[in-house]
Each structure stands twice: as structure tokens, then as C-alpha cells.
């Protein structure tokens, strides 16, 4: 593995999942990362990604440097040939080259603006780091994807599944803020690569990018989609077609006990942070069916498997 920008960087997904599950069982990898440094830059808030990736690096024996680049760093210019006479103090060319001397792996979180679809899809921040860094780059959630979360989710489904080919449903839920499509994009992408019966349900107007969902069935009747589900992944996202917009205020999409009842006693997943009683009801989050804490624990082993592969190559 050269970088971990998106799921296409994974050479063998089943092997990487197996490696993460093995690390979770028996973690004695403190030698590989000795003398190596992971540098993490956050342009947005984080709890899990920041701490689980730091923990993963330390389990590998690495040193870790973290910077809230969005608030503490110089404002970065990403345009080639820019005349930098405005608010941007430093060009990504220098920033990435300098960081590459301090770090053996650079990891970056940079959310989309959700205003200009073409700009977000160009993935300028993460791609510029990849272009100008001379060390591997890891995506900690970019404008259109969250591949460490997706690997975690794949590990969690593979660990908890009770049948050979479980039914997995990704369901939209209302949220007061316009959120990225990154998490559902990467979740859909990874589920397509596994042997699962995968269905997406969302209101009209919220269909994800067809280039990502491919021939995954998209059902606009939530209850119909949830029938007999073994796994339910709940997540809000803003509209892709009406880019970045919140189109409705339909609270009936919240995942509650009544919806759980139509499933096959499903395991309920969410990447977190979750808004209680808006996205998922207390009665579900506090039930045995909720696997969100288990899932968040797997962030460490997903990150460790990725860092390990980057260190090895
Ligand atoms: C972010 C999102 O939906 O992409 C991060 C999730 C991991 N969520 C929020 O901003 C609430
Ligand atoms: N799931 C996830 O990425 O959480 P954070 O935003 O807290 O890192």
C-alpha cells in the first residue's frame, strides 16, 4: 500500500479485514513503527479518528504529532501559480515538503465545503498532499470519502454477521445540519466489495452519486427496505443532486424501535457522533442491538492495519 486515499488503495480487502481482526485479538506489533513519526492534520473536528489513529500508531511503536491545522496553522494556498497577496500565507508545495521531512506518514482530515460539487469532487486538499508529499498520505475523511471508517464498518459486519450473506441496509435519517456524503459514499463502496445483500434507503432527492452506488438497489420506502435486515447502518447526508442542501424536515426517518421490529433483530451501526432522538432513538442506542461502541473500537484496528501496511511498503 502506497497511500490510503480511498478504497482502491487496498490491494486485498479480505486480507486487510483479517489482519485487523487478528490485531484486535493479539496486538504485539510495537517494533515496526519504532523511530517513525505519524503527523496528523485536522482541518475539522474529530474525536474517534484523531484518538483511534493516534492509538493505532502508538501500538505500532510510532511517535505521533497532531495539529489542528484549520485553526492553528497558516492558511494554505492550493492553487498552482497563485499570486499569494491575499489571506493565504503558505503554499501546499512548501507545507507538504516540510512535513515530509518531519513525518514518515502524513494523515489529513478536510471536509467538503458542500457548495461547489466540482470543487469538492476534485478533492483538492487530500490530492495536493498526495502530490506534494514525499511520504504516504492517509485520508482521515476528505470531501467525498471516509475510507478508514469504511474499513472499520467492513470489519464490524464481518465480525458480527450470523449468516453467510447478511442483508445490510444503509438508511438515511434527518439531521439539523447539512452533512457530507463521505461516510455513506465509502460505506456503499465497501459493501459493494463484500458478499452481502446491500440495499440503500433514502427519501427522494437524496440518492447518492450513481457512480459510487452502481447497481445497488435504492428504495425510497424505508420500512420496505428495512424488512429482514441483519445490519442497519443509519446516517444522514445532504443531497447530492441538489448539492449540499437539506431538502426536507421529515422526522419520520429517525431509526426507532418500531423500525427495528421489521428487521431480522438487526445490529444497528452508526459512525458516530450521533444525535440522539433525531437520527437514532434512545431506545435503540441503549439496546443490545446497538453496535456503535463496538464499531468505534474497531477504528483502532482498522487504522493499525492500514498504518502497518504503509510502514511495510
Ligand atoms: C461528519 C460527517 O457526517 O461526515 C463526520 C462523521 C464521522 N459528521 C458530522 O459533522 C456530525
Ligand atoms: N466516525 C468518526 O470519524 O468520528 P470523528 O468525527 O469523531 O473522528
Amino acid at each position: 500500500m502506497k497511500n490510503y486515499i480511498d478504497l482502491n488503495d487496498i490491494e486485498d480487502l479480505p486480507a486487510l479485514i483479517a489482519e485487523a481482526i487478528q490485531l484486535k485479538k493479539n496486538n504485539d506489533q510495537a517494533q515496526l513503527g519504532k523511530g517513525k513519526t505519524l503527523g496528523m492534520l485536522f482541518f475539522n473536528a474529530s474525536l474517534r479518528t484523531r484518538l483511534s489513529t493516534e492509538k493505532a500508531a502508538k501500538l505500532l511503536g510510532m511517535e505521533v504529532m497532531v495539529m489542528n491545522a484549520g485553526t492553528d496553522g497558516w492558511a494554505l494556498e492550493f492553487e498552482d501559480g497563485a499570486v499569494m497577496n491575499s489571506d493565504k500565507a503558505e503554499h501546499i508545495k512548501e507545507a507538504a515538503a516540510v512535513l515530509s521531512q518531519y513525518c514518515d506518514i502524513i494523515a489529513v482530515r478536510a471536509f467538503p465545503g458542500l457548495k461547489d460539487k466540482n470543487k469538492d469532487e476534485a478533492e483538492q486538499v487530500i490530492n495536493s498532499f498526495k502530490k506534494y508529499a514525499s511520504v504516504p498520505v492517509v485520508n482521515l475523511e476528505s470531501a467525498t470519502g471516509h475510507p478508514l471508517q469504511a474499513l472499520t464498518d467492513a470489519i464490524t459486519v464481518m465480525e458480527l454477521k450470523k449468516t453467510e450473506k447478511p442483508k445490510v441496509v444503509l438508511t438515511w435519517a434527518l439531521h439539523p445540519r447539512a452533512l457530507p456524503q463521505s461516510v455513506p459514499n465509502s460505506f456503499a463502496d465497501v459493501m459493494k466489495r463484500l458478499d452481502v445483500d446491500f440495499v440503500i434507503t433514502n427519501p427522494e432527492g437524496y440518492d447518492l452519486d450513481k457512480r459510487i452506488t452502481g447497481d445497488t438497489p435504492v428504495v425510497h420506502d424505508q420500512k420496505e427496505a428495512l424488512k429482514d435486515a441483519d445490519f442497519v447502518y443509519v446516517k444522514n447526508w445532504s443531497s447530492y443532486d441538489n448539492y449540499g442542501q437539506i431538502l426536507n424536515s421529515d422526522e419520520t426517518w429517525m431509526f426507532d424501535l418500531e423500525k427495528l421490529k421489521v428487521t431480522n433483530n438487526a445490529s444497528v451501526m452508526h459512525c458516530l457522533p450521533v444525535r440522539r432522538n433525531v437520527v437514532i432513538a434512545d431506545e435503540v442506542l441503549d439496546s443490545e442491538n446497538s453496535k456503535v461502541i463496538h464499531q468505534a473500537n474497531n477504528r483502532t484496528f482498522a487504522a493499525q492495519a492500514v498504518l502497518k501496511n504503509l510502514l511495510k511498503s
Side-chain angles (χ1 to χ4, degrees):
M1 195 185 277
K2 301 260 180 303
N3 296 283
Y4 192 60
I5 306 287
D6 61 45
L7 293 168
N8 293 322
D9 290 316
I10 299 175
E11 281 141 31
D12 184 344
L13 178 61
L16 196 62
I17 293 171
E19 191 168 11
I21 292 173
Q22 186 53 38
L23 285 165
K24 188 173 178 178
K25 286 193 190 126
N26 179 14
N27 213 321
D28 57 349
Q29 296 289 327
Q31 287 308 313
L32 189 66
K34 276 250 147 48
K36 307 274 185 190
T37 300
L38 169 69
M40 293 200 279
L41 298 186
F42 285 86
F43 292 91
N44 309 94
S46 170
L47 186 147
R48 278 143 292 271
T49 304
R50 177 166 173 164
L51 298 179
S52 65
T53 310
E54 175 163 349
K55 179 165 179 175
K58 287 181 171 165
L59 284 168
L60 290 166
M62 297 183 83
E63 298 290 330
V64 181
M65 298 192 296
V66 188
M67 187 169 171
N68 292 323
T71 50
D72 301 347
W74 298 110
L76 292 179
E77 175 63 64
F78 290 91
E79 294 299 334
D80 223 8
V83 178
M84 291 171 56
N85 60 1
S86 174
D87 55 332
K88 310 283 173 63
E90 174 155 41
H91 201 279
I92 182 65
K93 286 188 185 181
E94 280 77 42
V98 169
L99 283 168
S100 300
Q101 298 178 110
Y102 303 157
C103 308
D104 300 280
I105 298 175
I106 298 172
V108 180
R109 167 168 280 199
F111 287 177
L114 290 177
K115 296 211 158 50
D116 179 339
K117 186 188 276 190
N118 290 332
K119 186 162 182 257
D120 288 346
E121 290 189 336
E123 288 282 13
Q124 190 180 44
V125 176
I126 194 90
N127 283 335
S128 298
F129 274 97
K130 182 180 167 187
K131 183 171 176 188
Y132 295 114
S134 55
V135 299
V137 173
V138 174
N139 183 347
L140 300 174
E141 187 173 345
S142 66
T144 66
H146 195 354
L148 277 175
Q149 183 67 51
L151 178 58
T152 302
D153 301 337
I155 293 163
T156 307
V157 169
M158 290 298 115
E159 266 185 330
L160 298 178
K161 71 174 186 165
K162 295 194 191 90
T163 53
E164 203 48 50
K165 189 171 179 173
K167 178 174 176 182
V168 180
V169 180
L170 168 63
T171 180
W172 183 91
L174 187 67
H175 193 283
R177 297 183 56 195
L179 297 186
Q181 295 100 28
S182 312
V183 170
N185 279 347
S186 293
F187 184 72
D189 193 356
V190 84
M191 285 302 124
K192 278 181 3 190
R193 297 165 194 246
L194 299 178
D195 188 22
V196 297
D197 174 13
F198 181 49
V199 176
I200 302 174
T201 180
N202 54 253
E204 304 269 0
Y206 282 97
D207 288 8
L208 294 163
D209 183 355
K210 295 251 173 336
R211 292 168 299 177
I212 296 170
T213 57
D215 51 20
T216 302
V218 179
V219 180
H220 293 129
D221 179 336
Q222 189 190 31
K223 277 221 169 125
E224 176 62 34
L226 289 171
K227 221 165 155 269
D228 300 325
D230 298 299
F231 290 88
V232 178
Y233 197 99
V234 190
K235 183 72 184 86
N236 166 269
W237 59 88
S238 58
S239 175
Y240 178 71
D241 288 337
N242 290 288
Y243 191 68
Q245 303 286 307
I246 295 177
L247 305 179
N248 62 17
S249 53
D250 191 351
E251 291 165 9
T252 65
W253 280 76
M254 177 173 74
F255 194 80
D256 59 12
L257 218 45
E258 194 200 328
K259 300 206 178 132
L260 184 63
K261 280 187 187 139
V262 309
T263 70
N264 181 27
N265 194 25
S267 291
V268 179
M269 297 171 65
H270 188 286
C271 62
L272 304 183
V274 64
R275 298 227 179 189
R276 281 178 170 256
N277 304 311
V278 175
V279 174
I280 304 180
D282 275 347
E283 60 209 30
V284 173
L285 279 169
D286 295 332
S287 77
E288 292 281 313
N289 293 73
S290 173
K291 304 300 175 199
V292 299
I293 306 301
H294 179 109
Q295 185 183 353
N297 188 38
N298 283 338
R299 290 297 305 269
T300 300
F301 310 105
Q304 206 185 347
V306 166
L307 292 174
K308 193 178 158 194
N309 275 272
L310 291 172
L311 287 170
K312 279 202 289 197
S313 53

